[in-house]
mmCIF file of all heavy atoms in Angstrom:
data_model
loop_
_atom_site.group_PDB
_atom_site.id
_atom_site.type_symbol
_atom_site.label_atom_id
_atom_site.label_comp_id
_atom_site.label_asym_id
_atom_site.label_seq_id
_atom_site.Cartn_x
_atom_site.Cartn_y
_atom_site.Cartn_z
ATOM 1 N N GLY A 893 99.969 94.392 74.589
ATOM 2 C CA GLY A 893 99.626 94.661 75.959
ATOM 3 C C GLY A 893 98.111 94.708 76.101
ATOM 4 O O GLY A 893 97.412 93.986 75.429
ATOM 5 N N ASN A 894 97.613 95.581 76.969
ATOM 6 C CA ASN A 894 96.200 95.614 77.230
ATOM 7 C C ASN A 894 95.381 96.052 76.006
ATOM 8 O O ASN A 894 94.213 95.817 75.912
ATOM 9 C CB ASN A 894 95.849 96.501 78.431
ATOM 10 C CG ASN A 894 96.416 97.903 78.325
ATOM 11 O OD1 ASN A 894 97.592 98.081 77.988
ATOM 12 N ND2 ASN A 894 95.615 98.862 78.576
ATOM 13 N N HIS A 895 96.072 96.745 75.069
ATOM 14 C CA HIS A 895 95.339 97.179 73.849
ATOM 15 C C HIS A 895 95.446 96.155 72.707
ATOM 16 O O HIS A 895 95.049 96.459 71.602
ATOM 17 C CB HIS A 895 95.892 98.534 73.410
ATOM 18 C CG HIS A 895 95.467 99.676 74.233
ATOM 19 N ND1 HIS A 895 94.150 100.123 74.291
ATOM 20 C CD2 HIS A 895 96.140 100.421 75.161
ATOM 21 C CE1 HIS A 895 94.041 101.122 75.130
ATOM 22 N NE2 HIS A 895 95.231 101.342 75.681
ATOM 23 N N ALA A 896 95.962 95.003 73.023
ATOM 24 C CA ALA A 896 96.219 93.996 71.960
ATOM 25 C C ALA A 896 95.023 93.743 71.069
ATOM 26 O O ALA A 896 95.164 93.624 69.862
ATOM 27 C CB ALA A 896 96.680 92.654 72.625
ATOM 28 N N TRP A 897 93.836 93.723 71.645
ATOM 29 C CA TRP A 897 92.658 93.251 70.905
ATOM 30 C C TRP A 897 91.771 94.396 70.424
ATOM 31 O O TRP A 897 90.677 94.169 69.975
ATOM 32 C CB TRP A 897 91.866 92.311 71.790
ATOM 33 C CG TRP A 897 92.704 91.377 72.594
ATOM 34 C CD1 TRP A 897 92.964 91.471 73.937
ATOM 35 C CD2 TRP A 897 93.450 90.228 72.120
ATOM 36 N NE1 TRP A 897 93.796 90.446 74.314
ATOM 37 C CE2 TRP A 897 94.121 89.688 73.232
ATOM 38 C CE3 TRP A 897 93.569 89.664 70.862
ATOM 39 C CZ2 TRP A 897 94.936 88.560 73.122
ATOM 40 C CZ3 TRP A 897 94.406 88.528 70.756
ATOM 41 C CH2 TRP A 897 95.058 87.998 71.866
ATOM 42 N N ASP A 898 92.280 95.623 70.489
ATOM 43 C CA ASP A 898 91.394 96.769 70.197
ATOM 44 C C ASP A 898 90.942 96.763 68.727
ATOM 45 O O ASP A 898 89.849 97.214 68.401
ATOM 46 C CB ASP A 898 92.120 98.090 70.502
ATOM 47 C CG ASP A 898 92.186 98.361 71.988
ATOM 48 O OD1 ASP A 898 91.758 97.475 72.778
ATOM 49 O OD2 ASP A 898 92.695 99.423 72.387
ATOM 50 N N PHE A 903 92.448 89.214 65.307
ATOM 51 C CA PHE A 903 92.075 87.818 65.424
ATOM 52 C C PHE A 903 92.251 87.033 64.118
ATOM 53 O O PHE A 903 92.349 85.817 64.111
ATOM 54 C CB PHE A 903 90.618 87.691 65.943
ATOM 55 C CG PHE A 903 90.467 88.184 67.346
ATOM 56 C CD1 PHE A 903 89.814 89.409 67.587
ATOM 57 C CD2 PHE A 903 90.973 87.475 68.432
ATOM 58 C CE1 PHE A 903 89.663 89.875 68.935
ATOM 59 C CE2 PHE A 903 90.812 87.941 69.721
ATOM 60 C CZ PHE A 903 90.184 89.153 69.989
ATOM 61 N N ASN A 917 99.877 85.572 79.805
ATOM 62 C CA ASN A 917 99.032 85.165 80.930
ATOM 63 C C ASN A 917 97.534 85.394 80.677
ATOM 64 O O ASN A 917 96.726 85.385 81.602
ATOM 65 C CB ASN A 917 99.455 85.780 82.292
ATOM 66 C CG ASN A 917 99.668 87.258 82.206
ATOM 67 O OD1 ASN A 917 100.013 87.829 81.157
ATOM 68 N ND2 ASN A 917 99.487 87.930 83.317
ATOM 69 N N PHE A 918 97.160 85.529 79.393
ATOM 70 C CA PHE A 918 95.754 85.362 79.044
ATOM 71 C C PHE A 918 95.431 83.844 79.165
ATOM 72 O O PHE A 918 96.328 83.012 79.161
ATOM 73 C CB PHE A 918 95.520 85.838 77.586
ATOM 74 C CG PHE A 918 95.164 87.283 77.481
ATOM 75 C CD1 PHE A 918 96.140 88.254 77.291
ATOM 76 C CD2 PHE A 918 93.862 87.711 77.589
ATOM 77 C CE1 PHE A 918 95.820 89.572 77.173
ATOM 78 C CE2 PHE A 918 93.511 89.052 77.498
ATOM 79 C CZ PHE A 918 94.512 89.999 77.308
ATOM 80 N N PRO A 919 94.153 83.562 79.322
ATOM 81 C CA PRO A 919 93.772 82.124 79.524
ATOM 82 C C PRO A 919 94.239 81.266 78.358
ATOM 83 O O PRO A 919 94.363 81.733 77.221
ATOM 84 C CB PRO A 919 92.244 82.177 79.586
ATOM 85 C CG PRO A 919 91.881 83.582 79.909
ATOM 86 C CD PRO A 919 92.977 84.463 79.394
ATOM 87 N N GLU A 920 94.465 80.000 78.650
ATOM 88 C CA GLU A 920 94.740 78.989 77.624
ATOM 89 C C GLU A 920 93.653 79.089 76.549
ATOM 90 O O GLU A 920 92.493 79.262 76.850
ATOM 91 C CB GLU A 920 94.737 77.633 78.254
ATOM 92 C CG GLU A 920 95.847 76.668 77.730
ATOM 93 C CD GLU A 920 95.666 75.288 78.270
ATOM 94 O OE1 GLU A 920 95.731 75.123 79.505
ATOM 95 O OE2 GLU A 920 95.408 74.376 77.440
ATOM 96 N N THR A 922 93.586 81.410 74.212
ATOM 97 C CA THR A 922 93.562 82.749 73.650
ATOM 98 C C THR A 922 94.321 82.734 72.325
ATOM 99 O O THR A 922 95.425 82.175 72.225
ATOM 100 C CB THR A 922 94.249 83.741 74.624
ATOM 101 O OG1 THR A 922 93.513 83.725 75.859
ATOM 102 C CG2 THR A 922 94.256 85.159 74.048
ATOM 103 N N PRO A 923 93.791 83.358 71.295
ATOM 104 C CA PRO A 923 94.525 83.455 70.005
ATOM 105 C C PRO A 923 95.931 84.059 70.205
ATOM 106 O O PRO A 923 96.150 84.851 71.131
ATOM 107 C CB PRO A 923 93.667 84.380 69.175
ATOM 108 C CG PRO A 923 92.299 84.230 69.729
ATOM 109 C CD PRO A 923 92.491 83.992 71.220
ATOM 110 N N MET A 943 101.571 90.405 81.253
ATOM 111 C CA MET A 943 100.844 91.624 81.653
ATOM 112 C C MET A 943 100.590 91.593 83.160
ATOM 113 O O MET A 943 100.317 90.549 83.740
ATOM 114 C CB MET A 943 99.532 91.717 80.919
ATOM 115 C CG MET A 943 98.879 93.118 81.041
ATOM 116 S SD MET A 943 97.974 93.635 79.541
ATOM 117 C CE MET A 943 96.406 92.868 79.814
ATOM 118 N N GLY A 944 100.693 92.768 83.755
ATOM 119 C CA GLY A 944 100.464 92.915 85.198
ATOM 120 C C GLY A 944 98.979 92.871 85.503
ATOM 121 O O GLY A 944 98.146 93.072 84.659
ATOM 122 N N ARG A 945 98.714 92.612 86.788
ATOM 123 C CA ARG A 945 97.298 92.548 87.201
ATOM 124 C C ARG A 945 96.922 93.688 88.131
ATOM 125 O O ARG A 945 95.719 93.967 88.320
ATOM 126 C CB ARG A 945 97.071 91.231 87.930
ATOM 127 C CG ARG A 945 97.351 90.023 87.028
ATOM 128 C CD ARG A 945 96.800 88.741 87.568
ATOM 129 N NE ARG A 945 97.505 88.312 88.787
ATOM 130 C CZ ARG A 945 97.274 87.170 89.405
ATOM 131 N NH1 ARG A 945 96.343 86.345 88.984
ATOM 132 N NH2 ARG A 945 97.969 86.834 90.475
ATOM 133 N N LEU A 948 95.065 96.649 86.422
ATOM 134 C CA LEU A 948 95.127 96.511 85.000
ATOM 135 C C LEU A 948 94.130 95.468 84.445
ATOM 136 O O LEU A 948 93.145 95.829 83.786
ATOM 137 C CB LEU A 948 96.548 96.212 84.561
ATOM 138 C CG LEU A 948 96.916 96.378 83.073
ATOM 139 C CD1 LEU A 948 96.383 97.698 82.536
ATOM 140 C CD2 LEU A 948 98.384 96.264 82.819
ATOM 141 N N SER A 949 94.378 94.204 84.726
ATOM 142 C CA SER A 949 93.549 93.189 84.065
ATOM 143 C C SER A 949 93.451 91.980 84.994
ATOM 144 O O SER A 949 94.405 91.661 85.694
ATOM 145 C CB SER A 949 94.227 92.757 82.751
ATOM 146 O OG SER A 949 93.577 93.303 81.659
ATOM 147 N N THR A 950 92.338 91.270 84.931
ATOM 148 C CA THR A 950 92.182 90.072 85.747
ATOM 149 C C THR A 950 92.636 88.844 84.963
ATOM 150 O O THR A 950 91.820 88.041 84.510
ATOM 151 C CB THR A 950 90.743 89.908 86.219
ATOM 152 O OG1 THR A 950 89.886 90.039 85.073
ATOM 153 C CG2 THR A 950 90.354 91.016 87.167
ATOM 154 N N LEU A 951 93.941 88.749 84.813
ATOM 155 C CA LEU A 951 94.510 87.640 84.039
ATOM 156 C C LEU A 951 95.095 86.587 84.976
ATOM 157 O O LEU A 951 95.025 86.716 86.190
ATOM 158 C CB LEU A 951 95.590 88.190 83.143
ATOM 159 C CG LEU A 951 95.174 89.173 82.052
ATOM 160 C CD1 LEU A 951 96.341 89.562 81.177
ATOM 161 C CD2 LEU A 951 94.042 88.586 81.201
ATOM 162 N N ASP A 952 95.650 85.554 84.373
ATOM 163 C CA ASP A 952 96.393 84.542 85.138
ATOM 164 C C ASP A 952 97.643 85.167 85.712
ATOM 165 O O ASP A 952 98.121 86.219 85.254
ATOM 166 C CB ASP A 952 96.754 83.363 84.222
ATOM 167 C CG ASP A 952 95.489 82.624 83.768
ATOM 168 O OD1 ASP A 952 94.416 82.889 84.254
ATOM 169 O OD2 ASP A 952 95.630 81.799 82.841
ATOM 170 N N SER C 489 77.541 86.887 76.062
ATOM 171 C CA SER C 489 78.644 87.778 75.811
ATOM 172 C C SER C 489 79.386 88.124 77.103
ATOM 173 O O SER C 489 80.599 88.167 77.158
ATOM 174 C CB SER C 489 78.123 89.074 75.194
ATOM 175 O OG SER C 489 77.267 88.815 74.119
ATOM 176 N N VAL C 490 78.608 88.409 78.138
ATOM 177 C CA VAL C 490 79.252 88.811 79.397
ATOM 178 C C VAL C 490 80.034 87.629 79.972
ATOM 179 O O VAL C 490 81.178 87.807 80.429
ATOM 180 C CB VAL C 490 78.202 89.331 80.403
ATOM 181 C CG1 VAL C 490 78.912 89.821 81.661
ATOM 182 C CG2 VAL C 490 77.387 90.478 79.781
ATOM 183 N N VAL C 491 79.461 86.452 79.932
ATOM 184 C CA VAL C 491 80.193 85.268 80.408
ATOM 185 C C VAL C 491 81.477 85.102 79.600
ATOM 186 O O VAL C 491 82.548 84.873 80.142
ATOM 187 C CB VAL C 491 79.336 84.010 80.317
ATOM 188 C CG1 VAL C 491 80.171 82.744 80.496
ATOM 189 C CG2 VAL C 491 78.219 84.055 81.369
ATOM 190 N N LYS C 492 81.357 85.265 78.285
ATOM 191 C CA LYS C 492 82.516 85.105 77.433
ATOM 192 C C LYS C 492 83.622 86.089 77.813
ATOM 193 O O LYS C 492 84.795 85.766 77.847
ATOM 194 C CB LYS C 492 82.115 85.299 75.968
ATOM 195 C CG LYS C 492 83.229 84.928 74.980
ATOM 196 C CD LYS C 492 82.782 85.090 73.520
ATOM 197 C CE LYS C 492 83.983 84.918 72.594
ATOM 198 N NZ LYS C 492 83.711 85.409 71.235
ATOM 199 N N ARG C 493 83.211 87.303 78.112
ATOM 200 C CA ARG C 493 84.155 88.326 78.534
ATOM 201 C C ARG C 493 84.904 87.902 79.814
ATOM 202 O O ARG C 493 86.107 88.022 79.903
ATOM 203 C CB ARG C 493 83.409 89.652 78.798
ATOM 204 C CG ARG C 493 84.276 90.779 79.311
ATOM 205 C CD ARG C 493 85.205 91.248 78.181
ATOM 206 N NE ARG C 493 86.329 91.998 78.733
ATOM 207 C CZ ARG C 493 86.335 93.294 78.918
ATOM 208 N NH1 ARG C 493 85.311 94.025 78.620
ATOM 209 N NH2 ARG C 493 87.426 93.882 79.425
ATOM 210 N N PHE C 494 84.142 87.443 80.792
ATOM 211 C CA PHE C 494 84.805 87.027 82.054
ATOM 212 C C PHE C 494 85.732 85.834 81.821
ATOM 213 O O PHE C 494 86.788 85.753 82.412
ATOM 214 C CB PHE C 494 83.733 86.641 83.114
ATOM 215 C CG PHE C 494 83.225 87.841 83.852
ATOM 216 C CD1 PHE C 494 81.915 88.322 83.693
ATOM 217 C CD2 PHE C 494 84.020 88.529 84.764
ATOM 218 C CE1 PHE C 494 81.443 89.423 84.392
ATOM 219 C CE2 PHE C 494 83.558 89.627 85.470
ATOM 220 C CZ PHE C 494 82.246 90.072 85.283
ATOM 221 N N VAL C 495 85.315 84.883 80.990
ATOM 222 C CA VAL C 495 86.069 83.668 80.829
ATOM 223 C C VAL C 495 87.313 83.910 79.951
ATOM 224 O O VAL C 495 88.422 83.415 80.255
ATOM 225 C CB VAL C 495 85.208 82.548 80.242
ATOM 226 C CG1 VAL C 495 86.061 81.342 79.865
ATOM 227 C CG2 VAL C 495 84.119 82.163 81.238
ATOM 228 N N THR C 496 87.146 84.697 78.874
ATOM 229 C CA THR C 496 88.288 84.860 77.973
ATOM 230 C C THR C 496 89.118 86.104 78.262
ATOM 231 O O THR C 496 90.237 86.211 77.787
ATOM 232 C CB THR C 496 87.791 84.983 76.506
ATOM 233 O OG1 THR C 496 87.040 86.213 76.371
ATOM 234 C CG2 THR C 496 86.926 83.786 76.114
ATOM 235 N N GLN C 497 88.549 87.044 78.941
ATOM 236 C CA GLN C 497 89.197 88.353 79.192
ATOM 237 C C GLN C 497 89.436 89.113 77.893
ATOM 238 O O GLN C 497 90.231 90.046 77.854
ATOM 239 C CB GLN C 497 90.510 88.169 79.967
ATOM 240 C CG GLN C 497 90.294 87.641 81.397
ATOM 241 C CD GLN C 497 89.552 88.599 82.288
ATOM 242 O OE1 GLN C 497 89.790 89.828 82.209
ATOM 243 N NE2 GLN C 497 88.680 88.130 83.134
ATOM 244 N N LEU C 498 88.809 88.669 76.825
ATOM 245 C CA LEU C 498 88.888 89.418 75.548
ATOM 246 C C LEU C 498 87.775 90.436 75.469
ATOM 247 O O LEU C 498 86.734 90.276 76.103
ATOM 248 C CB LEU C 498 88.833 88.431 74.402
ATOM 249 C CG LEU C 498 90.008 87.445 74.303
ATOM 250 C CD1 LEU C 498 89.769 86.414 73.203
ATOM 251 C CD2 LEU C 498 91.312 88.178 74.043
ATOM 252 N N PRO C 499 87.973 91.475 74.648
ATOM 253 C CA PRO C 499 86.899 92.425 74.471
ATOM 254 C C PRO C 499 85.701 91.705 73.773
ATOM 255 O O PRO C 499 85.900 90.975 72.820
ATOM 256 C CB PRO C 499 87.479 93.502 73.582
ATOM 257 C CG PRO C 499 88.727 92.919 73.013
ATOM 258 C CD PRO C 499 89.164 91.810 73.891
ATOM 259 N N VAL C 500 84.534 91.938 74.324
ATOM 260 C CA VAL C 500 83.306 91.350 73.703
ATOM 261 C C VAL C 500 82.278 92.483 73.691
ATOM 262 O O VAL C 500 82.151 93.220 74.643
ATOM 263 C CB VAL C 500 82.794 90.179 74.589
ATOM 264 C CG1 VAL C 500 81.498 89.620 74.043
ATOM 265 C CG2 VAL C 500 83.832 89.069 74.716
ATOM 266 N N PHE C 502 78.842 93.939 74.135
ATOM 267 C CA PHE C 502 77.640 93.555 74.880
ATOM 268 C C PHE C 502 76.431 94.195 74.213
ATOM 269 O O PHE C 502 76.415 95.418 73.965
ATOM 270 C CB PHE C 502 77.699 94.059 76.318
ATOM 271 C CG PHE C 502 78.822 93.481 77.126
ATOM 272 C CD1 PHE C 502 79.250 94.120 78.280
ATOM 273 C CD2 PHE C 502 79.479 92.325 76.753
ATOM 274 C CE1 PHE C 502 80.305 93.611 79.015
ATOM 275 C CE2 PHE C 502 80.529 91.793 77.477
ATOM 276 C CZ PHE C 502 80.957 92.445 78.632
ATOM 277 N N GLY D 1599 85.490 86.350 93.591
ATOM 278 C CA GLY D 1599 85.474 87.156 92.394
ATOM 279 C C GLY D 1599 86.755 87.958 92.248
ATOM 280 O O GLY D 1599 87.498 88.176 93.190
ATOM 281 N N ARG D 1600 86.996 88.460 91.022
ATOM 282 C CA ARG D 1600 88.170 89.262 90.780
ATOM 283 C C ARG D 1600 87.890 90.711 90.487
ATOM 284 O O ARG D 1600 88.761 91.538 90.583
ATOM 285 C CB ARG D 1600 88.953 88.622 89.556
ATOM 286 C CG ARG D 1600 89.381 87.198 89.874
ATOM 287 C CD ARG D 1600 90.382 86.692 88.887
ATOM 288 N NE ARG D 1600 89.845 86.493 87.556
ATOM 289 C CZ ARG D 1600 90.508 85.995 86.537
ATOM 290 N NH1 ARG D 1600 91.769 85.637 86.698
ATOM 291 N NH2 ARG D 1600 89.952 85.815 85.359
ATOM 292 N N SER D 1601 86.623 91.029 90.111
ATOM 293 C CA SER D 1601 86.304 92.427 89.820
ATOM 294 C C SER D 1601 86.344 93.263 91.120
ATOM 295 O O SER D 1601 85.549 93.011 92.046
ATOM 296 C CB SER D 1601 84.892 92.515 89.242
ATOM 297 O OG SER D 1601 84.834 91.760 88.025
ATOM 298 N N LEU D 1606 93.195 86.903 91.723
ATOM 299 C CA LEU D 1606 93.297 85.449 91.899
ATOM 300 C C LEU D 1606 93.161 84.731 90.543
ATOM 301 O O LEU D 1606 93.026 85.372 89.502
ATOM 302 C CB LEU D 1606 92.168 84.934 92.832
ATOM 303 C CG LEU D 1606 92.207 85.462 94.262
ATOM 304 C CD1 LEU D 1606 91.135 84.838 95.077
ATOM 305 C CD2 LEU D 1606 93.578 85.224 94.888
ATOM 306 N N ASP D 1607 93.211 83.392 90.603
ATOM 307 C CA ASP D 1607 93.029 82.615 89.393
ATOM 308 C C ASP D 1607 91.557 82.749 88.965
ATOM 309 O O ASP D 1607 90.697 83.119 89.769
ATOM 310 C CB ASP D 1607 93.355 81.131 89.661
ATOM 311 C CG ASP D 1607 94.872 80.975 89.927
ATOM 312 O OD1 ASP D 1607 95.637 81.915 89.714
ATOM 313 O OD2 ASP D 1607 95.241 79.885 90.400
ATOM 314 N N CYS D 1608 91.298 82.384 87.732
ATOM 315 C CA CYS D 1608 89.963 82.544 87.162
ATOM 316 C C CYS D 1608 88.947 81.673 87.890
ATOM 317 O O CYS D 1608 89.051 80.443 87.909
ATOM 318 C CB CYS D 1608 89.973 82.172 85.690
ATOM 319 S SG CYS D 1608 88.353 82.180 84.923
ATOM 320 N N PRO D 1609 87.925 82.248 88.514
ATOM 321 C CA PRO D 1609 86.934 81.426 89.211
ATOM 322 C C PRO D 1609 86.112 80.555 88.291
ATOM 323 O O PRO D 1609 85.605 79.499 88.723
ATOM 324 C CB PRO D 1609 86.072 82.458 89.962
ATOM 325 C CG PRO D 1609 86.255 83.749 89.218
ATOM 326 C CD PRO D 1609 87.620 83.700 88.610
ATOM 327 N N PHE D 1610 85.953 80.965 87.040
ATOM 328 C CA PHE D 1610 85.181 80.139 86.127
ATOM 329 C C PHE D 1610 85.882 78.841 85.810
ATOM 330 O O PHE D 1610 85.328 77.752 85.866
ATOM 331 C CB PHE D 1610 84.887 80.945 84.826
ATOM 332 C CG PHE D 1610 84.042 82.169 85.047
ATOM 333 C CD1 PHE D 1610 84.552 83.312 85.642
ATOM 334 C CD2 PHE D 1610 82.687 82.169 84.691
ATOM 335 C CE1 PHE D 1610 83.762 84.431 85.884
ATOM 336 C CE2 PHE D 1610 81.855 83.272 84.919
ATOM 337 C CZ PHE D 1610 82.415 84.391 85.489
ATOM 338 N N ARG D 1611 87.169 78.972 85.441
ATOM 339 C CA ARG D 1611 87.923 77.768 85.110
ATOM 340 C C ARG D 1611 88.161 76.904 86.355
ATOM 341 O O ARG D 1611 88.187 75.671 86.298
ATOM 342 C CB ARG D 1611 89.239 78.149 84.473
ATOM 343 C CG ARG D 1611 89.068 78.527 82.976
ATOM 344 C CD ARG D 1611 90.374 78.942 82.367
ATOM 345 N NE ARG D 1611 90.729 80.279 82.758
ATOM 346 C CZ ARG D 1611 91.981 80.702 82.910
ATOM 347 N NH1 ARG D 1611 92.997 79.915 82.762
ATOM 348 N NH2 ARG D 1611 92.213 81.951 83.275
ATOM 349 N N GLU D 1636 79.689 89.918 87.849
ATOM 350 C CA GLU D 1636 80.519 88.696 87.930
ATOM 351 C C GLU D 1636 79.741 87.575 88.622
ATOM 352 O O GLU D 1636 79.808 86.396 88.268
ATOM 353 C CB GLU D 1636 81.804 89.022 88.732
ATOM 354 C CG GLU D 1636 82.837 87.892 88.553
ATOM 355 C CD GLU D 1636 84.188 88.297 89.232
ATOM 356 O OE1 GLU D 1636 84.244 89.285 89.973
ATOM 357 O OE2 GLU D 1636 85.194 87.583 88.955
#
Side-chain angles (χ1 to χ4, degrees):
Chain A
N894 55 311
H895 287 290
W897 319 106
D898 287 3
F903 293 107
N917 49 332
F918 271 92
E920 220 188 297
T922 301
M943 194 146 84
R945 300 194 291 185
L948 196 47
S949 255
T950 50
L951 295 185
D952 294 349
Chain C
S489 312
V490 183
V491 167
K492 190 178 170 195
R493 176 71 199 270
F494 275 110
V495 172
T496 66
Q497 296 293 323
L498 295 175
V500 177
F502 299 161
Chain D
R1600 301 194 290 184
S1601 299
L1606 296 184
D1607 294 349
C1608 173
F1610 295 76
R1611 281 178 284 148
E1636 196 173 11

